[in-house]
Amino acid sequence: MNSPGPPISIVLADDHPVVLHGMASILRAQPDINVVALCGDGIAAAEAIRQFVPDIAVLDIRMPGLNGLDVLSDITSDGLATKVIFLSAAATDDQILTAITRGAKGIMLKDIAPESLADCVRQVASGGQWFPADVVDAAMEREMGRRVQSKQLVQTLTPRERQVVVSLCEGNSNKRIARQLNLTEGTVKVHLSNIYNKLGVANRTALTALRSSTEISSIPRLVTSSIQIGRRLTPALVRLIRSQNK
């Protein structure tokens, strides 16, 4: 008879003490799970993960100091093998998609049944993933809709306005844009005013972000193995992958 393997080691992090200790109580009641550290912010979580190198880190996606996404990026850069599960009361679409593309292995909502937390941990520890299909599908559908709308807006720009956008997004000042395009600085300002009005943005930062979101290269490259839910790809993911390959 095979003896059971070592318990699954876990670091928990959440800036809400009630949630943090509630998770710890649930998981500590499981004989195959060992909670090695409780952390109240992202900085403490990153330090604990480096110290203990647990099998799993369950992180609130929004935390002071470092948020959960930043912690994931840090430990990935450090080459640590810890698998990350994000916990969230209401993650934004951007947070959900960023978590997936950065390598998170699961996302759990805080209103889940308590027993599901242990099930999620076990599934991820065994090499699986845990992503709520309805949450991920909805996030992808909305993100694709925003990208389509952004592309349509950009198509309303004149060729000259597009040249101004490209130069601006390369980090150039109005003076340098004018020099590059053989315009006066005043003309550049007029073009920028028209561009802001057409695209519904307020400043250079928002314009740069909008341009990035309309580029195919900016769409997360989700390989088909990265987010299988119940051994199937969500319909939204299939459409996203197809749109990237056109």
Side-chain angles (χ1 to χ4, degrees):
M1 179 177 178
N2 294 330
S3 59
I8 302 165
S9 57
I10 294 184
V11 164
L12 299 178
D14 196 295
D15 61 324
H16 296 91
V18 172
V19 174
L20 181 62
H21 290 283
M23 288 193 300
S25 296
I26 292 169
L27 296 177
R28 281 172 172 162
Q30 311 300 316
D32 59 336
I33 294 175
N34 178 30
V35 178
V36 298
L38 301 182
C39 306
D41 59 57
I43 294 173
E47 291 175 350
I49 293 169
R50 293 188 183 98
Q51 178 182 351
F52 296 106
V53 193
D55 300 312
I56 303 289
V58 179
L59 310 175
D60 187 356
I61 205 165
R62 296 180 180 179
M63 290 187 289
L66 288 176
N67 63 41
L69 294 170
D70 291 336
V71 173
L72 173 57
S73 295
D74 283 358
I75 65 175
T76 300
S77 297
D78 290 343
L80 301 181
T82 298
K83 298 174 181 177
V84 171
I85 298 168
F86 284 120
L87 192 68
S88 177
T92 66
D93 295 345
D94 182 63
Q95 287 172 330
I96 291 170
L97 299 181
T98 300
I100 293 168
T101 56
R102 290 189 186 181
K105 300 303 180 184
I107 295 175
M108 295 211 67
L109 302 181
K110 290 185 177 181
D111 60 356
I112 59 164
E115 62 271 14
S116 295
L117 178 58
D119 291 341
C120 172
V121 166
R122 293 188 183 102
Q123 182 160 320
V124 170
S126 66
Q129 298 173 339
W130 188 287
F131 295 100
D134 55 341
V135 173
V136 174
D137 262 355
M140 289 185 173
E141 291 281 9
R142 288 190 292 265
E143 179 65 13
M144 286 188 291
R146 283 191 289 268
R147 292 180 187 278
V148 169
Q149 184 179 33
S150 295
K151 286 184 178 181
Q152 291 172 341
L153 287 173
V154 169
Q155 289 171 357
T156 66
L157 301 180
T158 67
R160 177 63 85 186
E161 287 169 346
R162 293 187 189 189
Q163 290 175 332
V164 171
V165 170
V166 170
S167 185
L168 180 146
C169 291
E170 290 173 348
N172 294 317
S173 65
N174 288 356
K175 184 176 292 187
R176 185 166 179 79
I177 294 171
R179 190 179 305 120
Q180 284 184 340
L181 302 180
N182 196 27
L183 301 170
T184 67
E185 194 169 346
T187 301
V188 170
K189 291 179 180 179
V190 170
H191 281 311
L192 285 175
S193 177
N194 292 336
I195 291 165
Y196 294 160
N197 288 333
K198 287 182 178 181
L199 301 185
V201 298
N203 52 45
R204 303 167 76 95
T205 301
L207 178 58
T208 301
L210 178 62
R211 179 175 183 259
S212 296
S213 73
T214 65
E215 295 175 346
I216 289 296
S217 60
S218 72
I219 297 176
R221 291 287 173 174
L222 304 179
V223 296
T224 56
S225 63
S226 70
I227 182 170
Q228 287 190 325
I229 302 170
R231 295 188 177 182
R232 70 177 181 84
L233 292 174
T234 66
L237 179 57
V238 171
R239 288 192 289 276
L240 180 57
I241 292 171
R242 285 175 177 169
S243 72
Q244 295 178 96
N245 293 329
K246 287 182 179 179

